[in-house]
Structures are given as C-alpha cells and as structure tokens.
C-alpha cells in the first residue's frame, strides 16, 4: 500500500488527526513520567531499614504517672526489661530512645574534627544499654558490637557532662564524614562542633540503619548508636523481637505483663515496626496509586479518542469505501488502510510525546531533584501507544471493511 494517498487524505482533513496526535503526545509524556515517579516512590517505600525481619519487631512506650529518682528509674527499667524477656516467644529486648521510621526522635550534629566550623552531617542519635545490633539484627560490616564495660548510665536531670566513649555508625554516615578514608574504625566522631563537642571512638560500622525520619535521600541512613542508659522521667521505650510468626500474640501478652507488673499506674502504647513503615510511606503509596489511576484514565481517554475519530472517518468515507470495494479492493485492503493511517498519526504523537516527556522530566529533575527518565520508559510507552492505537482503531476499521459496495454507495 502506498503511503501517499493516505497522507493526501490526512492533509485534506487534518484537524482530527492533529487532535489525536496531540492527545497521544500529551498522554505519553505524562504516562512515562508518572510511572517513573511510581517506580521511585515504590522503591523508596520498600527500601530496607537495616532491621532484619521487620515483621517480628515491635516496641512499647512506657510512661509511669509518678516519676521516681534516678536510681528508682534504673531499677524499674531493668525490672520491666526482665518482665518482657519472660514473655513466651520473646527472643530479644532492648531499651532505646527512638525507633527508625517512627518520625519521632532526636538527631545530633556530627563532625570529623572538633575544630570544624560546620557539621559534617546531621545524624540520628540512637542509644541503648543492650545490644540494638542483636535485637534489630543489624549487619555489622566492620568492627564489633559494644561490650558491657562500654555502657554508661546517665541521669539527664543532673549529669550533663558524661558521654559514651564508643559509637557505631552506618556505612553511609562513615562515607559522608570520612569520604577519603577506607575505614572509619578507631577514628573519633565528634557530636557537635567547637570545644564543647563530645568525642566517641568508632568501634563498629553497620550496613544501614534508617533514621527516625527515614528521609528519601542518602541522609535517611545517617545514624549513630551509642552504649548508654538514660533516665529522664519522660518514659521508656523497649524494642522487642519475637519469634517468627508470633509477634501479634507476643505484643498482647507483653503489654498485659507490663501492666500487671507495674507498681503504679502506667501509660502504655504498643506499635509494630510494620505499622511505622506503613505510616511513614503512606503518602508515597497514595501518590503512587493516584498516578496509576491517572495513567489508566489517560489510556482510556486516548483509546476513546482514537475509536471516536476512526468511527467518524469511517462514516465520512462510507461512499469512498464502497467505490473502492466495487473497484476490487478487498476487505483486508480497507482494514490495512485504516490501520496504516492510524499508525502514522500515532507515530507523530509518539515522536512528539518523547520530546515532551524528556522536557517534562528535565523540569522535574531541575525543580524536584528527581532522577533522569530511563529510556526504557519511553520505548515501552511508545510501544504501548502504538499497540493501543492499533487495538482502538481495529473495530471501526473492521466495520469499514465489511461494508458492501451496494450499501456504501446507496444515496441517503
């Protein structure tokens, strides 16, 4: 089939063709970028926190209504930890000050040198007298976990000068603070800047541990752990690992055990790590589903536009089709004519859509710091719209091919 007659027909009635091509271009530009954003958001929501088997982890926030002194709080913390360890199905318990992805907690400025004017990074500040490496099942890639003699006990209301002498850092933080060093082991990490900064020697490096805010960029893994027990009268957090498949039961029994063992009224809040992950990434998942919905609607609207335009062309060319059939054109010739015509229109739209998609992505990269749009999305999008164009026009084209010459040429 020659292309020239098709192009000639399109040029004589080009408004509809232009509208379809523009619709395809806009849809392709939006679809490819939307799905790229969906992939990024889904990847962020699924990224590892550093805690292995999150489905077995939960934590309890404990607040006693009447506060004890430092020694009383220490004794109570140790007693409550023992109560939790006695619950059937509990494999590990650790006191801590905050939880990854919980969106609640503290950070500290850190630096490689006390003389630095500006901080090297801002890192989450986790502390525990027990092993968070064990309870959270963190992966140590260099060095070791803390030893019992490194743990210090601090009364926040009175002791403001004492500070742990050892620290574990994430690999991401180590690369940020000491970018030119092969290993941070044995180096001193300073919390704060200036002469008042507290120094701690790096004894271990863990593969990763998300911050309490779980930022999207690399700072979401800038975390530190120090060996410390703190009493401050504001409550206690116990993080608990249960046996696989036993978490929900253990959560209920752990809460009941603490309430029964409490010597005085207590406020308890129990949360799982899975719940924190869901809450933290709720907006990302909502955005993903919204973009998926918009993409599906765009495809449906584009397909409807192609079907409607093809049906209109068939109606307008009814007599022309009859004449061609009377002169010997086969059904397959009529079908091929409309498919080729639509393919040309869709190809123009696809080409324009690729240019528009790249321009839109460049804008997103410059304004929102997104990553570049992979070419695979453009190739997949182009293939999708070519297939969509063929599928959408096939019905009207087939109806045109089945028109008999007598019916098509009959006067109204």
């Amino acid at each position: 089939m020659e292309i020239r007659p098709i192009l000639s027909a399109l040029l004589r009635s080009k408004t509809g063709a232009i509208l379809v091509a523009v619709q395809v271009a806009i849809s392709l530009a939006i679809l490819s970028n939307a799905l790229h954003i969906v992939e990024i958001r889904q990847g962020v929501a699924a990224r590892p926190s550093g805690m292995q088997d999150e489905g077995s982890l939960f934590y309890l926030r404990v607040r006693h209504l009447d506060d004890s002194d430092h020694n009383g709080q220490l004794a109570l913390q140790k007693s409550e930890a023992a109560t939790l360890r006695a619950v059937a199905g509990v494999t590990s318990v650790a006191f801590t000050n905050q939880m990854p992805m919980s969106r609640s907690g503290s950070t500290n400025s850190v630096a490689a040198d006390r003389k630095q004017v500006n901080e090297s990074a801002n890192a989450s500040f986790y502390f525990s007298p027990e092993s968070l490496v064990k309870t959270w099942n963190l992966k140590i890639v260099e060095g070791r976990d803390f030893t019992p003699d490194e743990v210090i006990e601090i009364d926040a209301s009175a002791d403001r000068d004492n500070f742990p002498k050892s620290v574990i850092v994430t690999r991401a933080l180590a690369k940020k603070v000491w970018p030119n060093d092969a290993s941070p082991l044995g180096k001193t990490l300073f919390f704060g800047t200036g002469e008042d900064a507290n120094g701690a020697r790096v004894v271990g490096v863990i593969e990763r541990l998300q911050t309490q805010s779980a930022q999207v960029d690399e700072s979401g893994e800038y975390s530190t752990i120090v060996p410390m027990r703190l009493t401050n009268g504001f409550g206690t957090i116990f993080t608990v690992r249960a046996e696989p498949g036993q978490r929900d039961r253990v959560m209920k029994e752990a809460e009941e055990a603490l309430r029964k063992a409490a010597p005085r009224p207590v406020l308890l809040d129990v949360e799982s790590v899975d719940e924190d992950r869901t809450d933290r990434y709720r907006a990302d998942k909502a955005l993903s589903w919204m973009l998926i919905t918009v993409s599906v609607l765009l495809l449906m609207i584009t397909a409807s536009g192609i079907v409607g335009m093809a049906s209109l062309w068939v109606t307008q060319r009814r007599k022309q089709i009859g004449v061609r059939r009377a002169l010997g054109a086969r059904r397959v010739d009529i079908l091929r004519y409309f498919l080729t015509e639509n393919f040309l229109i869709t190809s123009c739209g696809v080409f324009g859509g690729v240019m528009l998609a790249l321009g839109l992505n460049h804008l997103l990269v410059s304004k929102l710091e997104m990553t570049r749009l992979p070419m695979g999305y453009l190739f997949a999008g182009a293939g999708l719209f070519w297939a969509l164009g063929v599928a959408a026009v096939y019905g009207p084209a087939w109806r045109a091919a089945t028109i008999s010459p007598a019916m098509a040429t009959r006067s109204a």
Side-chain angles (χ1 to χ4, degrees):
M1 175 182 292
E2 292 187 10
I3 302 297
R4 185 177 299 175
I6 298 176
L7 294 177
S8 178
L10 288 175
L11 291 175
R12 287 196 302 270
S13 180
K14 53 182 175 292
T15 302
I18 292 174
L19 289 176
V20 171
V22 169
Q23 188 176 28
V24 169
I26 294 174
S27 298
L28 175 57
I30 296 175
L31 179 68
S32 56
N33 280 282
L35 294 183
H36 180 43
I37 294 173
V38 168
E39 184 193 35
I40 292 174
R41 292 298 179 182
Q42 292 294 333
V44 167
R47 60 184 175 153
S49 65
M51 300 182 291
Q52 304 298 314
D53 189 17
E54 292 179 4
S56 297
L57 285 170
F58 68 95
Y59 61 98
L60 305 97
R61 297 182 185 272
V62 186
R63 174 68 189 274
H64 294 276
L65 297 183
D66 56 335
D67 297 328
S68 303
D69 60 12
H70 173 67
N71 291 328
Q73 290 182 48
L74 285 179
L76 192 56
Q77 285 180 14
K78 294 175 182 179
S79 173
E80 288 171 337
T83 298
L84 291 172
R85 292 189 180 97
V87 175
V90 171
T91 62
S92 184
V93 176
F95 164 92
T96 187
N97 62 316
Q98 59 191 21
M99 292 294 295
M101 302 182 292
S102 65
R103 296 184 292 183
S104 174
S106 60
T107 61
N108 263 338
S109 298
V110 295
D113 194 316
R114 181 181 277 116
K115 297 179 181 180
Q116 283 185 218
V117 176
N118 299 317
E119 65 183 31
S120 298
N122 192 268
S124 277
F125 185 68
Y126 295 98
F127 60 79
S128 175
E130 287 89 23
S131 175
L132 290 179
V133 171
K134 175 185 175 183
T135 303
W136 289 346
N137 197 10
L138 305 174
K139 183 179 179 181
I140 294 182
V141 293
E142 289 186 76
R144 58 171 175 82
D145 197 359
F146 301 121
T147 58
D149 61 290
E150 291 174 311
V151 178
I152 65 171
E153 296 179 346
I154 298 177
D155 181 358
S157 63
D159 188 1
R160 299 184 180 276
D161 296 326
N162 202 6
F163 196 83
K165 302 304 179 185
S166 302
V167 62
I168 292 175
V169 300
T170 57
R171 184 157 55 187
L173 181 61
K175 290 181 179 179
K176 176 65 175 179
V177 178
W178 300 283
N180 300 320
D181 296 326
S183 174
L185 292 182
K187 298 185 181 299
T188 300
L189 181 70
F190 291 94
F191 291 84
T193 56
E195 294 302 322
D196 295 331
N198 293 297
R201 184 171 61 91
V202 177
V203 299
V205 180
I206 52 178
E207 183 178 32
R208 63 172 53 88
L209 176 59
Q210 284 190 18
T211 67
Q212 78 277 8
S213 299
Q215 300 95 315
V216 175
D217 59 14
E218 62 180 8
S219 65
E221 292 186 5
Y222 291 169
S223 299
T224 62
I225 305 175
V226 296
M228 182 175 73
R229 184 188 295 276
L230 180 71
T231 60
N232 55 19
F234 297 115
T236 305
I237 299 176
F238 292 103
T239 178
V240 181
R241 178 173 290 278
E243 293 178 357
Q246 301 295 310
R247 185 199 64 191
D248 292 343
R249 175 189 62 79
V250 173
M251 286 176 67
K252 295 179 181 179
E253 295 184 3
E255 181 179 2
E256 292 174 359
L258 280 185
R259 291 189 185 279
K260 290 180 180 179
R264 46 188 176 269
V266 64
L267 297 176
L268 274 175
D269 181 29
V270 186
E271 297 282 345
S272 69
V273 172
D274 284 347
E275 289 174 316
D276 280 345
R277 177 178 284 276
T278 298
D279 290 341
R280 166 60 184 84
Y281 295 112
R282 191 182 305 278
D284 296 274
K285 292 184 177 180
L287 176 62
S288 296
W289 281 112
M290 183 188 72
L291 291 176
I292 289 173
T293 301
V294 169
S295 299
V296 171
L297 290 175
L298 277 174
L299 290 175
M300 294 175 61
I301 292 171
T302 302
S304 299
I306 295 174
V307 170
M309 191 58 64
S311 297
L312 177 62
W313 287 335
V314 169
T315 301
Q316 291 176 339
R317 302 174 188 176
R318 188 178 181 87
K319 289 189 176 181
Q320 176 187 343
I321 294 170
V323 170
R324 290 195 61 192
R325 291 293 312 281
L327 294 175
R330 299 168 299 171
R331 290 183 177 180
V332 67
D333 295 327
I334 303 299
L335 180 64
R336 187 170 57 187
Y337 177 93
F338 281 99
L339 291 177
T340 303
E341 182 180 66
N342 183 263
F343 180 80
L344 293 175
I345 296 172
T346 304
S347 296
C348 292
V350 165
F351 179 78
V354 168
M355 298 297 102
L356 189 59
L358 292 174
L360 178 58
N361 179 249
H362 178 74
L363 179 64
L364 294 173
V365 169
S366 61
K367 299 298 183 182
L368 301 179
E369 298 183 355
M370 277 185 53
T371 58
R372 293 288 181 184
L373 179 66
M375 294 304 294
Y377 281 92
L378 296 177
F379 293 139
L384 175 63
F385 277 95
W386 272 319
L388 180 66
V390 171
V393 81
Y394 190 86
W398 178 255
R399 289 196 301 272
T402 56
I403 296 176
S404 67
M407 293 295 296
T409 55
R410 182 182 298 173
S411 299

